[in-house]
Amino acid sequence: MRVLVVEDDPLVGDAVRRALAAAGFAADLVASAEAAASALHAESFDLAIVDIGLPRVSGLQFLQALRQRGTGLPVLILTARDGLEDRVHALDLGADDYLTKPFEIPELVARCRALIRRAHAVTSTRLALGSLNLDLAHREVTVDGALLDLTHREWTILECLVFNAGRIVSKERLKESVVNWSEDLTPNAIEVYVSRLRTKLGGAADIRAVRGMGYRIDAREK
Ligand code: CA
């Protein structure tokens, strides 16, 4: 899952980006609302973490513009400790959650996972598709109770497909969910990951390639 971090303090921004990467997210960092707007224009993200105190255009103005355009992207706002008014304002402008600085990284990461689940209308931390069972909190997948050994990227692709089960997910979307700007994928990498996933799933679910469009996952008919 892809996260955009909008924070002008390079120390905080980099710590957040690294923590998200360690938790298996593909995260990118920008230092201004303007840069965030171009990033969102260019690629799909699953979540934005936005600091309120940004130069020129504040995090609140950025959020307001985003919601005025009708963008439903989940947004977690970072506010100063004494920022009660900012927090209230942010929630009223359409922020999905907030954290007060200084915050603990594990809490930030857990909130990111929760927001992404909610965005996919997943109310539990477990997601089932036929005999597949995904534990979204621990990034584990089991088939009939047996744990599968997946890499970070394989897991992310599977999660993305299962969130959209029965619908086509474009190859571009899958690519954007596994790599940030500093990483590169070879042109056929997604095909390779999907093919490894199919092998590891061993027929527990069907991942079909839809020519020219992408992939879709469906529960295997019993
Ligand atoms: Ca700031």
Side-chain angles (χ1 to χ4, degrees), residues 45-108:
F45 286 83
D46 299 285
L47 171 74
I49 298 173
V50 180
D51 181 38
I52 285 196
L54 295 172
R56 299 177 300 279
V57 181
S58 78
L60 288 177
Q61 290 169 308
F62 170 74
L63 172 66
Q64 186 170 28
L66 199 69
R67 292 302 184 235
Q68 277 170 352
R69 286 200 306 276
T71 308
L73 175 76
V75 173
L76 185 151
I77 289 284
L78 302 178
T79 74
R81 193 201 310 251
D82 55 358
L84 172 66
E85 257 180 57
D86 279 348
R87 293 197 288 276
V88 172
H89 196 184
L91 291 170
D92 284 342
L93 284 176
D96 300 276
D97 200 0
Y98 66 81
L99 259 183
T100 303
K101 287 178 173 178
F103 50 81
E104 299 294 332
I105 289 284
E107 181 177 9
L108 174 74

Side-chain angles (χ1 to χ4, degrees), residues 128-140:
L129 182 78
S131 57
L132 271 189
N133 215 300
L134 277 70
D135 178 338
L136 303 174
H138 299 100
R139 299 172 66 85
E140 287 176 354

Side-chain angles (χ1 to χ4, degrees), residues 86-165:
D86 279 348
R87 293 197 288 276
V88 172
H89 196 184
L91 291 170
D92 284 342
L93 284 176
D96 300 276
D97 200 0
Y98 66 81
L99 259 183
T100 303
K101 287 178 173 178
F103 50 81
E104 299 294 332
I105 289 284
E107 181 177 9
L108 174 74
V109 172
R111 281 175 188 262
C112 289
R113 282 195 294 260
L115 286 171
I116 289 173
R117 285 199 303 273
R118 224 182 290 157
H120 290 91
V122 177
T123 49
S124 143
T125 58
R126 289 187 172 274
L127 200 56
L129 182 78
S131 57
L132 271 189
N133 215 300
L134 277 70
D135 178 338
L136 303 174
H138 299 100
R139 299 172 66 85
E140 287 176 354
V141 58
T142 53
V143 173
D144 293 326
L147 189 62
L148 299 190
D149 184 19
L150 301 188
T151 64
H152 265 333
R153 287 180 176 176
E154 289 164 357
W155 160 268
T156 301
I157 286 173
L158 181 64
E159 183 184 38
C160 206
L161 289 170
V162 174
F163 272 147
N164 296 287

